[in-house]
Amino acid sequence: FAMSINPIEEWKLDFEYVKKCTDKIELRKIVKKLRAEPFYPELTKAAEERLAAVDPKSKLLAKPVEASEEEKQKAIGELDAWIFQQQQKDERITKRAKANQAYVPSS
């Protein structure tokens, strides 16, 4: 396991320790370490479940929320509109640049 500022001792990466642990900070560290090196999925799940029991509001337990199809389509539409606007701006800038190059002041 990789070293960190506050490393978790390897003996704490154990089902019995996790099952009895009541320190939410310690459990967070254990979950982070196990997720970073996912060699022990059952132990990771046990640590997450224990953390949920000790600290149910822990941000580590938050699950990503899937956007609805309607939200996805809205986002795609907004991106398409933005791309179109940027292309129009680019065309205007290009035309101005060409017009400025074509202009030769008389001396």
Side-chain angles (χ1 to χ4, degrees):
F1 289 103
M3 294 295 290
S4 65
I5 295 172
N6 297 314
I8 288 291
E9 295 87 353
E10 288 201 28
W11 65 269
K12 292 181 180 179
L13 301 176
D14 176 76
F15 283 98
E16 287 303 312
Y17 181 82
V18 166
K19 185 165 68 171
K20 295 176 183 175
C21 185
T22 58
D23 182 347
K24 61 185 177 182
I25 295 171
E26 187 92 342
L27 284 165
R28 282 188 214 131
K29 290 178 184 179
I30 291 170
V31 168
K32 285 180 184 178
K33 183 165 205 107
L34 289 168
R35 285 180 177 174
E37 300 181 21
F39 302 116
Y40 307 102
E42 296 87 8
L43 182 56
T44 303
K45 186 174 193 278
E48 290 170 341
E49 290 171 354
R50 183 63 184 154
L51 179 59
V54 173
D55 185 16
K57 294 183 179 181
S58 175
K59 291 180 182 177
L60 280 180
L61 300 173
K63 302 289 182 198
V65 177
E66 180 73 24
S68 70
E69 192 59 36
E70 181 181 324
E71 291 170 321
K72 290 177 187 177
Q73 291 304 316
K74 181 181 177 193
I76 289 169
E78 290 172 356
L79 285 171
D80 286 342
W82 180 83
I83 290 169
F84 180 72
Q85 290 171 347
Q86 298 307 309
Q87 288 171 336
Q88 287 183 321
K89 287 179 184 178
D90 187 49
E91 287 174 15
R92 286 193 303 268
I93 291 169
T94 302
K95 284 179 184 177
R96 284 186 195 147
K98 286 180 181 178
N100 287 339
Q101 287 176 352
Y103 174 72
V104 178
S106 58
S107 18

